[in-house]
Structure formats: C-alpha cells, structure tokens
Amino acid sequence: MNAPSSSTPGQGLTALLSVSDKTGIVDLARSLHALGVRLVSTGGTAALLAREGLPVTEVAQVTGFPEMLDGRVKTLHPMIHGGLLARRDVPEHRQALATHGIGTIDILVVNLYPFEKTVAQPGCTLEDAIENIDIGGPAMVRSGAKNWKDVAVLTDASQYPVVLAELSGQGQVSAKTRFALSVAAFNRIAQYDAAISNHLSSLQEDGSQSLFPAQSNSSFVKVQDLRYGENPHQQAAFYRDLYPAPGSLATAVQLQGKELSYNNIADADAAWECVKAFAEPACVIVKHANPCGVAIGPSAVEAYGKAWQTDPTSAYGGIVALNRPLDGDTARRMAANKQFIEVLMAPGFTDEALALFAAKANVRLLRIELPPGGDTDWLRGRNAIDTKRVGSGLLVQTADNGECIREQLSVPTRLQPTDAQWQDLLFAWKVAKYVKSNAIVFCGGGMTLGVGAGQMSRLDSARIASIKAEHAGLSLKGSAVASDAFFPFRDGLDVVIDHGASCVIQPGGSMRDAEVIAAADERGVAMVFTGMRHFRH
C-alpha cells in the first residue's frame, strides 16, 4: 500500500466505496476521511456521502467516462482495475500507472447486489433475478483480493471496525488482515456465484422452479476441526450453513466440557431433531444415533426420569436432549441416576444446574437458544433438504418433515382406539420417525417402553424391543406400537400383540393389508393407518 504519512495515519491512501447495502458506510467513510484517506465512490453511494457533507470523488471523474447502461458499466475500466491490480513492488507496474495517469486504490469497500434476497422473494421473475446479478462489484472484489498484498478488500460491514482500528493505530492495514480479508472476499464471490448458478439452473421452461437444480453448489462455513471422525484413523471437521436456522444444532453454544467429537455431533443432531418434535416438556436420550429413551411429562425432571427408565443400560454414555431449560431438580435427578452423559442439550440452564454440573467438567453442555416465536418455531430449524454421499455422487431429497394429524388418519379395524390410546399412538409415531429402520417402538403413558432399531427383519426389531422392555422391568401390556413401515405379513403384528400391544400405528399400503387388518380384528386390537412411512437409513 502507499506509504502512510507519519502525521496522519491514512494520508496518501485512496478508498473506493461502492455498496448496495449502505449499513455503516457513512460512519466508515467519515472515519476514513478523518484519517486522511481520499474517498472515491459510485452512484448512490457517492450521492449519500455527498449529502452527509463528505468530500467524495465520483468514479466517473476518475475514469473520464460516464456511468452508462443504467449503471451496468461504471467501474469496468482500466483506471479502476489498474489501480486495484497494480503491484506496488513491481517497477514496471508503477511505471505503467505513471504513464497512464492511474492512481492506486488501497482500500476497496464493496458489497454486492442482493441476488440471494431477491430470488428468495415470492413471485421473483427471471427479469428481477437477472437485474440483481452484480458484474462490476465481483470484478473489483476479485481484482483487489488477488492483489491482497497492496489492497484491503472489505465485503461486509462487520469488517469495518478492525480495519479502522489498524489504520488508526499503525497507519495501514496489516498483511495478516489483508490476507484474511482477501480469503473472505473470494469466499463471498464463491457463495454469490453459487447462488446464481443454483437459481438459474433450477428454472424450468414453463417458468416453474425445480427443487433440484441442474447443478448443485453448496456453501458451508467451518465451525471447527475435530480430533477425528467416526474412528481414530479418520480425519474430520464440522461445518454449518452460511445462515443457520434458529433452534438448529449449528447454533449451539458449548458452555463446558471436552471438545465435541464427530460422533457426539452426529448423535446430538439425532437427539435434538427428535426432542423438537414435541410441544410438551420432553426428553430424548440417544445412543449411536437411535433414541433409546423418549418421554414427555409435566416438567423436564419427570420427562427425563421416564426417558431414562426405558433403557438405563443404553442410556449410559448417551446424549440427552431436553426441550425445556435444565433446572436444579433435573440435574440432581441425573446425578442420582449416576448416568454417564456425553452431551447434554437444552434451550437454557439455570445457575443451579450449571453449578451442579461444574463438578463434572468433562460433560459437554450445549445451549441452543429458542427462536423468537417460541417452542413451535423450533421447526424452522429443520433442514428442508437432506443429502447423502455415495461413490462419486450425491443423493438429494426433501427432508422427512411430514407430520400426522389425528383427523387425517384412518382406522381400518373394527376396534377404534380410545382417547388414551390415540395419545400413545401419536407419541409412538413421532418417536418411530427418528429410529433407524426397521423400527418398532412400544410406548405407553407418554414414554417409550421398548425400542427395536436398525434390524434387517421387522420381526427381529419387535423381539429386541420386547427384550429391552423386559430388561428394564417395564410391562408392555396394553402398550401402543409404532412401525415405521407397513407389516408385509401378519407375523410382525402377531409378535407385537403377543408381547402386549393393544393398538398399532403403521403406514399401511402392503399388498397384504387385508390379511393384516383381519389379523388385528382376530386379535382384538385397534390399528391406525398413517399413509406415510418413515424409513431412516
């Protein structure tokens, strides 16, 4: 950058300001001017600064060429890009600048036309989208970022304070900061281009928009490196969406405990997504990505107690999620159970609870703030799209966010569920959605009684669920059972009834539905069809 004056920190420096989002730009320009930095600007930004009484040179005066084509062409000029790209340490570059009367640009402040915001609006037309594709801005950002040794490129208002602090303190922006700004600038351009590609390649000939664009470009920001992946010989890192949804795991704040592992995060996500499904106070305990205990109750402590009771053995070393703040009573109950907890998540922790857990320094406590709208707005934290890597490819689908409402369900059996059974059936169905296929879930009284997960045979899942209930000392008599997919034969239904089920909820849709319905009638149980399955692989 140009050598600063010893008397005025920014003396001899030139800043080009051209922003779509004017947030903080007047204060930045005023501070730069006070430091002796010359201000150059474009269009609306220049007009705003002039109205604020700041001395500003319009780009047209620099280029000797007026803005044209409705502002599409204003900075695409050698007088601008020469000033950005010229290397100050190359004599030939400095000579070229002198020969052509080009001044250097030391600070570039640019944010881009709001393409992402525009296309997110309902009814956005192709014309609206195209008009909000910035050309000159990205070109300048790339030029300045490439020449980071001489140019500081600011692409977000959050960067203004650190640059002003360095200019005020040392008369220039440090090389470390300039490089960090360059990386951030190229990241922003990549995100911007990805958004344009995703939107335009999703448009259909009839004007509609496909959920799945012809080219998929994803942008994620690294949260942290992890010690290793699922196993110690694997490397791993955790990334989040550019704009994580409120109430999602990516917004979690770790209050104490060891560093999160790859498996911790994967299991925590399974627990958090499940506990968000309940409006009542709820607790979910997860082990190896499967719920091993789920319960609702009038309070967090009662929900936790019932969830732990389902399978204390599997709960050891598990992940615990609450959809209510963790209080002292619940913390004491956990201590009384002597449960070893890897991760404990809640929307808040009382001071008493934090003090109790302070003695267990290795327990990872995660706080995930409630969204502004309260409990029901947690659903906004669910992914709209799910992905899974396969060999040299990517599977993409809309997320399994389907919900069942009692009034929309059908009862094909002669026996109708009682109100109490309906409550247990709907509870069981919510839980089954988060259990790996094949899933069989026994429930009663607002808690899981036995969970069978991830078996190749639905019969084996049912048997495992009953074995777990027996080991926990829980009776399955009169229980409600959820199956994530239909019973292809009556044998699966017979197994759950043999172990005590009085009612069953399942998707239906089998070629042998009539046989399964007849079996339910024969055994005297009520059965509900959802018309929706919840495979989870």
Side-chain angles (χ1 to χ4, degrees):
M1 300 179 72
N2 292 345
S5 164
S6 58
S7 58
T8 307
Q11 192 70 45
L13 301 181
T14 296
L16 172 56
L17 295 74
S18 179
V19 294
S20 176
D21 180 355
K22 306 296 193 292
T23 302
I25 196 63
V26 173
D27 289 339
L28 173 66
R30 188 173 287 119
S31 297
L32 290 173
H33 173 60
L35 291 169
V37 178
R38 176 187 178 226
L39 304 179
V40 177
S41 190
T42 62
T45 306
L48 172 62
L49 300 183
R51 287 197 302 272
E52 293 293 326
L54 289 164
V56 58
T57 302
E58 289 217 35
V59 162
Q61 295 175 254
V62 175
T63 64
F65 208 87
E67 292 186 14
M68 60 185 299
L69 306 180
D70 298 320
R72 288 188 173 200
V73 177
K74 49 192 173 188
T75 59
L76 297 171
H77 195 282
M79 297 295 288
I80 300 300
H81 286 271
L84 290 169
L85 284 166
R87 289 179 54 179
R88 316 315 195 243
D89 61 342
V90 177
E92 292 80 5
H93 285 202
R94 298 188 69 87
Q95 180 59 50
L97 294 180
T99 299
H100 299 285
I102 299 174
T104 56
I105 297 171
D106 309 284
I107 301 168
L108 176 67
V109 185
V110 172
N111 56 56
L112 311 177
Y113 291 174
F115 180 85
E116 297 101 325
K117 184 177 180 180
T118 298
V119 298
Q121 299 299 316
C124 173
T125 65
L126 176 58
E127 182 178 357
D128 291 335
I130 295 297
E131 285 305 308
N132 278 277
I133 295 176
D134 203 330
I135 302 300
M140 286 193 293
V141 168
R142 290 178 68 89
S143 292
K146 176 176 180 176
N147 198 24
W148 65 270
K149 290 183 178 181
D150 296 307
V151 182
V153 181
L154 289 72
T155 51
D156 190 271
S158 64
Q159 300 164 337
Y160 299 171
V162 66
V163 168
L164 287 175
E166 290 193 2
L167 282 172
S168 299
Q170 58 198 42
Q172 62 181 348
V173 183
S174 68
K176 179 181 178 181
T177 297
R178 291 198 304 272
F179 182 72
L181 291 171
S182 172
V183 173
F186 281 118
N187 287 343
R188 175 61 187 132
I189 296 301
Q191 296 156 8
Y192 194 72
D193 287 343
I196 295 169
S197 172
N198 285 341
H199 181 75
L200 296 185
S201 62
S202 71
L203 299 180
Q204 308 296 296
E205 290 185 7
D206 62 1
S208 63
Q209 189 172 356
S210 170
L211 283 170
F212 309 109
Q215 177 167 313
S216 177
N217 306 275
S218 299
S219 296
F220 295 91
V221 177
K222 187 164 72 173
V223 176
Q224 64 190 88
D225 288 309
L226 303 174
R227 283 199 304 160
Y228 52 80
E230 284 184 288
N231 302 289
H233 64 275
Q234 295 172 268
Q235 294 179 308
F238 177 40
Y239 289 77
R240 64 163 175 79
D241 285 325
L242 286 175
Y243 309 106
S248 61
L249 180 65
T251 66
V253 176
Q254 185 168 353
L255 304 180
Q256 74 162 51
K258 296 186 296 184
E259 183 179 316
L260 288 164
S261 73
Y262 181 99
N263 293 331
N264 289 156
I265 295 171
D267 287 348
D269 183 62
W272 191 245
E273 290 304 304
C274 184
V275 84
K276 288 195 301 183
F278 298 96
E280 313 92 330
C283 177
V284 175
I285 304 176
V286 161
K287 190 69 171 290
H288 295 304
N290 275 302
C292 61
V294 181
I296 56 176
S299 65
V301 65
E302 293 185 64
Y304 164 72
K306 291 162 68 177
W308 179 82
Q309 188 181 2
T310 299
D311 189 353
T313 300
S314 297
Y316 184 84
I319 310 291
V320 180
L322 296 162
N323 66 357
R324 293 294 189 277
L326 180 74
D327 55 20
D329 289 341
T330 311
R332 279 187 289 272
R333 179 65 180 271
M334 291 175 176
N337 286 341
K338 298 181 179 179
Q339 181 188 356
F340 168 49
I341 298 173
E342 286 279 4
V343 180
L344 175 56
M345 297 177 290
F349 295 81
T350 66
D351 291 341
E352 184 181 14
L354 287 173
L356 289 168
F357 271 100
K360 299 183 177 182
N362 287 337
V363 178
R364 303 163 178 90
L365 301 185
L366 300 184
R367 184 184 68 232
I368 305 182
E369 297 284 358
L370 282 166
D375 302 351
T376 56
D377 274 6
W378 270 350
L379 299 180
R380 290 192 294 156
R382 301 187 302 187
N383 293 332
I385 297 291
D386 282 342
T387 61
K388 183 177 182 179
R389 284 287 289 170
V390 296
S392 296
L394 186 72
L395 287 171
V396 182
Q397 64 175 350
T398 57
D400 183 9
N401 292 331
E403 303 289 342
C404 281
I405 301 173
R406 174 175 169 176
E407 291 72 23
Q408 297 174 345
L409 306 181
S410 62
V411 181
T413 52
R414 289 194 296 267
L415 192 63
Q416 298 286 309
T418 65
D419 286 341
Q421 286 176 327
W422 268 114
Q423 291 179 19
D424 285 336
L425 287 167
L426 292 173
F427 174 85
W429 184 248
K430 283 186 177 181
V431 176
K433 175 180 176 179
Y434 298 96
V435 178
K436 299 286 186 179
S437 300
N438 287 311
I440 293 290
V441 182
F442 288 84
C443 296
M447 64 179 284
T448 48
L449 302 172
V451 179
Q455 299 304 303
M456 290 70 77
S457 162
R458 196 164 298 279
L459 290 170
D460 288 341
S461 289
R463 294 182 182 114
I464 289 171
S466 65
I467 291 170
K468 284 186 168 292
E470 182 180 357
H471 285 177
L474 299 173
S475 172
L476 298 181
K477 185 177 181 180
S479 60
V481 169
S483 173
D484 66 333
F486 60 64
F487 290 102
F489 303 96
R490 68 167 290 168
D491 54 1
L493 182 67
D494 283 327
V495 169
V496 300
I497 296 173
D498 288 344
H499 285 98
S502 65
C503 53
V504 176
I505 186 168
Q506 59 130 322
S510 168
M511 292 176 58
R512 294 181 175 83
D513 272 352
E515 175 187 324
V516 177
I517 294 167
D521 286 335
E522 174 191 321
R523 301 293 302 270
V525 300
M527 186 162 60
V528 173
F529 279 2
T530 65
M532 175 191 298
R533 79 177 188 197
H534 283 311
F535 272 169
R536 189 176 181 86
H537 292 106

